[in-house]
Amino acid sequence: GWYLLHGHPVIYDAANLSRQMRRPLIQLAHALGIDVHAAWTSCNPSVQQERLQETGYAPSLVQQLQQIWEPPNTDEGFA
C-alpha cells in the first residue's frame, strides 16, 4: 500500500481468477482514488495444460482453475 499511497504506479501480478478474488484490490484502489487496469493473456487450453503439467501441476488442478476463471470486465470497476 505504501507505493499506492505515495502516487507510484504499481503492477499487481496475480492470477485472481474470479471476480470475487479481484474485488478487494479493486475496492482498495478505488478508495485511494486510483484507476485499475487489467491485462491478461490466453492460449489454447491444450497448450496451457501441457505447460502447466511440465511445471508439475496435476491435470485435475488445471481443470479446476479453468472452471473458476472469469475474464476481467469493466463492470467490475476496471478503467
Side-chain angles (χ1 to χ4, degrees), residues 19-57:
R19 296 170 71 95
Q20 181 181 356
M21 294 172 145
R22 296 186 289 266
R23 186 174 299 121
L25 177 66
I26 294 169
Q27 289 175 338
L28 172 62
H30 287 176
L32 297 172
I34 298 167
D35 289 338
V36 181
H37 301 266
W40 72 95
T41 61
S42 63
C43 65
N44 182 300
S46 64
V47 171
Q48 179 187 40
Q49 189 154 352
E50 178 182 318
R51 290 183 182 171
L52 289 172
Q53 285 175 344
E54 287 173 0
T55 60
Y57 287 93

